[in-house]
Coordinates of all heavy atoms in Angstrom, one line a residue:
V444 N -7.4 -7.8 -88.8 CA -6.9 -7.0 -89.9 C -8.0 -6.9 -90.9 O -8.7 -7.9 -91.1 CB -5.6 -7.6 -90.5 CG1 -5.9 -8.9 -91.1 CG2 -5.0 -6.6 -91.6
P445 N -8.3 -5.8 -91.5 CA -9.4 -5.6 -92.5 C -9.1 -6.5 -93.7 O -8.0 -6.7 -94.2 CB -9.4 -4.2 -92.9 CG -8.7 -3.5 -91.8 CD -7.7 -4.4 -91.3
E446 N -10.2 -7.1 -94.2 CA -10.1 -7.9 -95.5 C -9.7 -6.9 -96.6 O -9.9 -5.7 -96.6 CB -11.4 -8.6 -95.8 CG -12.6 -7.7 -96.0 CD -13.8 -8.4 -96.5 OE1 -13.7 -9.5 -97.0 OE2 -14.9 -7.8 -96.3
M447 N -9.2 -7.5 -97.7 CA -8.8 -6.8 -98.9 C -7.6 -5.8 -98.6 O -7.4 -4.8 -99.3 CB -9.9 -6.1 -99.5 CG -11.1 -7.0 -100.0 SD -10.5 -8.2 -101.2 CE -11.9 -9.2 -101.4
S448 N -6.9 -6.0 -97.5 CA -5.8 -5.1 -97.1 C -4.6 -5.3 -98.1 O -4.4 -6.4 -98.7 CB -5.3 -5.4 -95.7 OG -6.3 -5.1 -94.8
N449 N -3.8 -4.3 -98.3 CA -2.7 -4.3 -99.2 C -1.6 -5.2 -98.6 O -1.5 -5.5 -97.4 CB -2.1 -2.9 -99.4 CG -3.1 -2.0 -100.1 OD1 -3.9 -2.5 -101.0 ND2 -3.1 -0.8 -99.8
V450 N -0.7 -5.7 -99.5 CA 0.4 -6.6 -99.0 C 1.3 -5.7 -98.1 O 1.7 -4.6 -98.5 CB 1.2 -7.1 -100.2 CG1 2.4 -7.9 -99.7 CG2 0.3 -8.0 -101.0
G451 N 1.7 -6.3 -97.0 CA 2.6 -5.6 -96.1 C 1.9 -4.8 -95.0 O 2.5 -4.2 -94.1
T452 N 0.6 -4.9 -94.9 CA -0.2 -4.3 -93.9 C 0.2 -4.9 -92.5 O 0.2 -6.1 -92.4 CB -1.7 -4.4 -94.1 OG1 -2.0 -3.7 -95.4 CG2 -2.5 -3.7 -93.0
S453 N 0.6 -4.1 -91.5 CA 1.0 -4.6 -90.2 C -0.3 -5.2 -89.5 O -1.3 -4.5 -89.4 CB 1.6 -3.5 -89.4 OG 1.9 -3.9 -88.1
V454 N -0.1 -6.4 -89.0 CA -1.1 -7.0 -88.2 C -0.9 -6.8 -86.7 O -1.8 -6.3 -86.0 CB -1.2 -8.5 -88.6 CG1 -2.3 -9.2 -87.8 CG2 -1.5 -8.7 -90.1
I477 N 8.2 -17.6 -89.4 CA 6.8 -18.1 -89.4 C 6.8 -19.5 -89.8 O 7.4 -19.9 -90.8 CB 5.9 -17.2 -90.4 CG1 4.5 -17.7 -90.3 CG2 6.5 -17.2 -91.8 CD1 3.5 -16.8 -91.0
G480 N 1.0 -20.4 -91.5 CA 0.3 -19.2 -91.9 C 0.7 -18.7 -93.3 O 0.2 -17.6 -93.7
Q481 N 1.7 -19.3 -93.9 CA 2.1 -18.9 -95.2 C 1.2 -19.5 -96.2 O 0.6 -20.6 -96.0 CB 3.6 -19.4 -95.5 CG 4.6 -18.7 -94.6 CD 6.0 -19.3 -94.8 OE1 6.1 -20.5 -95.1 NE2 7.0 -18.5 -94.5
P482 N 0.9 -18.9 -97.4 CA 1.6 -17.6 -97.8 C 0.8 -16.4 -97.5 O 1.0 -15.3 -98.1 CB 1.6 -17.9 -99.4 CG 0.4 -18.6 -99.6 CD 0.1 -19.5 -98.4
Y483 N -0.1 -16.5 -96.5 CA -1.0 -15.3 -96.3 C -0.3 -14.3 -95.4 O -0.6 -13.1 -95.6 CB -2.3 -15.8 -95.5 CG -2.9 -17.0 -96.2 CD1 -2.8 -18.3 -95.8 CD2 -3.7 -16.7 -97.3 CE1 -3.4 -19.3 -96.4 CE2 -4.3 -17.8 -98.0 CZ -4.2 -19.1 -97.5 OH -4.8 -20.1 -98.2
F484 N 0.6 -14.7 -94.5 CA 1.3 -13.7 -93.7 C 2.7 -14.0 -93.6 O 3.2 -15.1 -93.9 CB 0.7 -13.8 -92.2 CG -0.8 -13.5 -92.2 CD1 -1.7 -14.6 -92.2 CD2 -1.3 -12.2 -92.1 CE1 -3.1 -14.3 -92.2 CE2 -2.6 -12.0 -92.0 CZ -3.5 -13.0 -92.1
S485 N 3.5 -12.9 -93.2 CA 5.0 -13.0 -93.0 C 5.3 -12.3 -91.7 O 4.5 -11.6 -91.1 CB 5.7 -12.4 -94.2 OG 5.4 -11.0 -94.2
V486 N 6.6 -12.5 -91.2 CA 7.0 -11.9 -89.9 C 8.4 -11.3 -90.2 O 9.3 -12.0 -90.9 CB 7.0 -12.9 -88.8 CG1 7.9 -14.1 -89.0 CG2 7.3 -12.2 -87.5
I493 N 4.2 -9.0 -87.6 CA 3.5 -9.8 -88.6 C 2.8 -8.9 -89.6 O 2.1 -8.0 -89.2 CB 2.5 -10.7 -87.8 CG1 3.2 -11.6 -86.8 CG2 1.7 -11.6 -88.8 CD1 2.2 -12.4 -85.9
R494 N 2.9 -9.2 -90.8 CA 2.3 -8.4 -91.9 C 1.6 -9.4 -92.9 O 1.9 -10.6 -92.9 CB 3.4 -7.6 -92.7 CG 4.2 -6.7 -91.8 CD 5.2 -5.8 -92.6 NE 6.0 -5.0 -91.7 CZ 5.6 -3.7 -91.3 NH1 4.4 -3.3 -91.8 NH2 6.3 -3.0 -90.6
T495 N 0.7 -8.7 -93.6 CA 0.0 -9.5 -94.7 C 0.9 -9.8 -95.8 O 1.8 -8.9 -96.2 CB -1.3 -8.7 -95.2 OG1 -0.8 -7.5 -95.7 CG2 -2.3 -8.5 -94.0
A496 N 0.8 -11.0 -96.4 CA 1.7 -11.4 -97.5 C 0.9 -11.6 -98.8 O 1.6 -11.7 -99.9 CB 2.4 -12.6 -97.1
L497 N -0.4 -11.6 -98.8 CA -1.2 -11.8 -100.0 C -2.2 -10.7 -100.2 O -2.8 -10.2 -99.2 CB -1.9 -13.2 -100.0 CG -1.2 -14.4 -100.3 CD1 -2.1 -15.6 -100.3 CD2 -0.5 -14.3 -101.7
P498 N -2.5 -10.3 -101.4 CA -3.5 -9.2 -101.6 C -4.9 -9.9 -101.7 O -5.1 -11.1 -101.9 CB -3.1 -8.6 -103.0 CG -2.5 -9.7 -103.7 CD -1.8 -10.6 -102.7
N499 N -5.9 -9.0 -101.5 CA -7.3 -9.4 -101.7 C -7.8 -10.6 -100.9 O -8.4 -11.5 -101.4 CB -7.6 -9.6 -103.2 CG -7.3 -8.4 -104.1 OD1 -7.4 -7.3 -103.6 ND2 -6.9 -8.7 -105.3
M500 N -7.4 -10.7 -99.7 CA -7.9 -11.7 -98.8 C -9.3 -11.4 -98.4 O -9.6 -10.4 -97.8 CB -7.0 -11.9 -97.6 CG -5.7 -12.5 -97.8 SD -4.8 -13.0 -96.3 CE -4.5 -11.4 -95.6
D501 N -10.2 -12.3 -98.8 CA -11.7 -12.0 -98.7 C -12.3 -12.7 -97.5 O -12.1 -13.9 -97.3 CB -12.4 -12.6 -100.0 CG -13.8 -12.1 -100.1 OD1 -14.2 -11.3 -99.2 OD2 -14.5 -12.5 -101.0
R505 N -12.8 -16.7 -96.4 CA -12.2 -17.3 -95.2 C -12.0 -16.2 -94.2 O -11.5 -15.1 -94.6 CB -10.9 -18.0 -95.5 CG -10.2 -18.6 -94.3 CD -8.9 -19.4 -94.7 NE -8.3 -19.9 -93.6 CZ -7.1 -20.6 -93.6 NH1 -6.5 -20.8 -94.8 NH2 -6.6 -21.1 -92.5
Y508 N -7.5 -17.2 -89.5 CA -6.3 -17.8 -89.9 C -5.5 -18.1 -88.6 O -5.5 -17.3 -87.7 CB -5.4 -17.0 -90.8 CG -6.0 -16.7 -92.1 CD1 -7.0 -15.6 -92.3 CD2 -5.7 -17.4 -93.3 CE1 -7.5 -15.4 -93.5 CE2 -6.3 -17.2 -94.5 CZ -7.2 -16.1 -94.6 OH -7.8 -15.9 -95.8
L534 N -10.1 -11.7 -90.1 CA -10.3 -10.6 -91.1 C -11.6 -9.9 -90.8 O -12.7 -10.5 -90.6 CB -10.4 -11.2 -92.5 CG -9.1 -11.9 -93.0 CD1 -9.3 -12.4 -94.4 CD2 -7.9 -11.1 -92.9

Side-chain angles (χ1 to χ4, degrees):
V444 64
E446 63 174 335
M447 300 297 174
S448 297
N449 296 326
V450 176
T452 300
S453 175
V454 178
I477 184 169
Q481 296 174 330
Y483 308 102
F484 300 95
S485 62
V486 63
I493 302 174
R494 300 181 182 276
T495 59
L497 279 182
N499 301 330
M500 286 192 294
D501 191 2
R505 183 177 178 182
Y508 296 84
L534 299 183

